[in-house]
Structure formats: structure tokens, C-alpha cells
Amino acid sequence: MSDRKLIVGNWKMNGRKSDALALVGDLLKRIQAKAPRCDLMVCPPAIHIDAVAGLVAHTSLAVGGQDCHQAASGAHTGDIAAPMLWDLGCRAVILGHSERRANHGESSALVRAKAVTARAVGLLTIIAIGETLAQRDAGHTIDVVSSQLRESVPEDSDTDNTVIAYEPVWAIGTGRTASVEQVAEVHKAIHAEMKVLMGPKKAAGLRVLYGGSVTPANAQSLLALDTVGGALVGGASLKADQFWAIAEACP
Ligand code: PGA
């Protein structure tokens, strides 16, 4: 576990292979010119991971997957297994992103099963949680994220195998970022819940990211919060200058 903030680029289903290589090439040039103060990771579409991993080998830029199956292998057409991600050079995987939960009906129990499998091969699991606008408006935000944590995070969690990403669904891809006060309130509750789930010793130093319309303009104030261990960046991670500016905003 590191004290440094972690900035993760979630490319989602964007870009051709040439775009992926150009983006990573640009990021590597910036990293070589100036070592970032944070840990940096990109999560390309699965089909581009091999090409990207080839470029970032022996650099400080890490590669992660955007999802994996809960089984380590088997008859699951179109799915990606955790050991395959590991073999290509991934050292982390995002699990339970709200787009997976919404578009693929993923439950917290399924996210938990995926996390168990991913950790068995050594992957860091970045477990995403967050409330919808309706849940926030009904005053249920803390209850929703707390129960997502209880149901999605496996028992053997520690800071080496777990990162939590708080991503309010209403802030993802909408240009509507949660306010610093909203993030501070929810991150405090997440740390408290994780302390109960992991035990205070193991939970010390747990990285809890914020995600949802993070840009160079709002990154500094969000990353200045002690409870915010980094950012999960979607749209702005597709532009090297923007992603780099967010990395540079780390204290
Ligand atoms: P966004 O996506 O930065 O485009 O809002 C964040 C995410 O979904 O991880």
C-alpha cells in the first residue's frame, strides 16, 4: 500500500488500437519528462490491453481491466477471465462499475464473487459503488453505499487487494461533479464502514477514490481531501493532457 494518491483512467468502450497506443505513448512521454506525484493506471478496453501492456512494461504506468468474470475459466462466451488479465500484465481490475451494474444487471453479490476470483490471481480489485439520483434525493445515499460495501467487498480485504471507488451514478459522464462537501460526507461514511468490515488496523490507509466527471478544473479541490485517495476518471482520461493535468493536481 502506498500513501500516494491513485489516478485511474477508465477508457470504457472507446478508441481503436491506434488511439490506445497514441494515448499511452503521449502519457509515457509526460511521465518520462516528469515523474508524477501519484500512482497512475489506465484501464483500456480488454481487446487493447495486450498492446498497451507491451508499451508500458518497465514503466511506472500500470494497466488494469475494466471487468472480469467470476469464474477463472469455462464456457462463458465473450467474457474475460481474471487470470487472462493477469497474464497480459494487468495488476488491477475495476469491478461493479455502475455501467456494469446497470447494463449487465450485476448485483453486489456478483461483484463480490468476481473480487474473490480476481484476488486469487493477485489482482488489486477496484470496487465501485455509488447511489443514483433518486436514492440521493430520497436521502438514502449513506445507506445505499454502506450496503453496497457490505455486499460487494469480500471478507479477506486489505489495502493490498482493495481500493474502493465512490462514483455517484448521477455524476458519471454528466458533467455534474459531486461537491467537495458531498464527497467528504460520503467518503467519511465509506471509511467508517470499511473500518467495521476490515477491522481498524487493515482499514488504515485504505484508498477510496472519487469518480464522476472529474476534470482538471475540479480535481485539485477533490484530491485535496484527506479521505480521497485518488480518482477514477472516465471521459477526461481519453485526452492525455487532461488526464495528466488531473495527475498533476495531486498534492
Ligand atoms: P466520467 O466517468 O469521468 O466520464 O464521469 C467516470 C467513470 O465512470 O469511471
Side-chain angles (χ1 to χ4, degrees):
M1 226 295 300
S2 153
D3 288 340
R4 287 149 62 91
K5 307 243 181 198
L6 170 65
I7 307 295
V8 180
N10 175 13
W11 294 359
K12 308 192 180 185
M13 195 177 71
N14 290 299
R16 309 283 284 257
K17 184 177 172 184
S18 56
D19 301 316
L21 294 178
L23 179 49
V24 163
D26 192 334
L27 286 174
L28 287 176
K29 269 194 213 140
R30 292 168 195 262
I31 290 170
Q32 273 146 21
K34 186 177 178 208
R37 281 185 297 274
C38 58
D39 294 332
L40 270 185
M41 182 188 298
V42 291
C43 298
I47 198 145
H48 299 327
I49 288 174
D50 200 18
V52 167
L55 275 189
V56 306
H58 314 298
T59 75
S60 62
L61 184 59
V63 185
Q66 297 177 10
D67 176 53
C68 69
H69 196 273
Q70 65 274 24
S73 66
H76 304 290
T77 303
D79 281 308
I80 310 281
M84 299 171 184
L85 293 178
W86 179 269
D87 276 359
L88 292 189
C90 289
R91 292 298 171 260
V93 61
I94 302 168
L95 295 173
H97 189 283
S98 65
E99 287 152 14
R100 299 286 319 171
R101 290 179 189 260
N103 300 348
H104 298 268
E106 292 194 0
S107 65
S108 289
L110 180 63
V111 173
R112 188 182 188 284
K114 291 180 176 209
V116 169
T117 305
R119 288 170 184 188
V121 292
L123 291 167
L124 170 74
T125 53
I126 302 171
I127 298 177
I129 55 162
E131 82 286 3
T132 63
L133 191 55
Q135 289 165 334
R136 173 163 284 272
D137 288 345
H140 296 154
T141 298
I142 303 298
D143 285 349
V144 168
V145 298
S146 299
S147 65
Q148 283 178 331
L149 287 173
R150 284 194 295 274
E151 291 163 20
S152 308
V153 178
E155 268 131 34
D156 63 340
S157 296
D158 58 40
T159 50
D160 288 330
N161 62 20
T162 311
V163 165
I164 304 297
Y166 169 54
E167 297 205 305
V169 178
W170 49 271
I172 295 176
T174 58
R176 203 178 143 189
T177 320
S179 69
V180 170
E181 293 72 28
Q182 287 170 325
V183 174
E185 186 203 4
V186 180
H187 272 235
K188 194 171 157 215
I190 291 171
H191 280 286
E193 185 66 42
M194 291 304 292
K195 215 166 160 184
V196 174
L197 291 177
M198 294 166 73
K201 239 188 179 163
K202 280 192 177 172
L206 176 73
R207 289 203 276 205
V208 181
L209 314 184
Y210 168 76
S213 297
V214 176
T215 64
N218 58 34
Q220 197 169 11
S221 55
L222 292 164
L223 291 165
L225 291 172
D226 282 347
T227 50
V228 173
L232 183 50
V233 185
S237 73
L238 296 170
K239 300 246 164 31
D241 57 343
Q242 292 193 19
F243 191 57
W244 185 251
I246 293 168
E248 288 269 275
C250 287

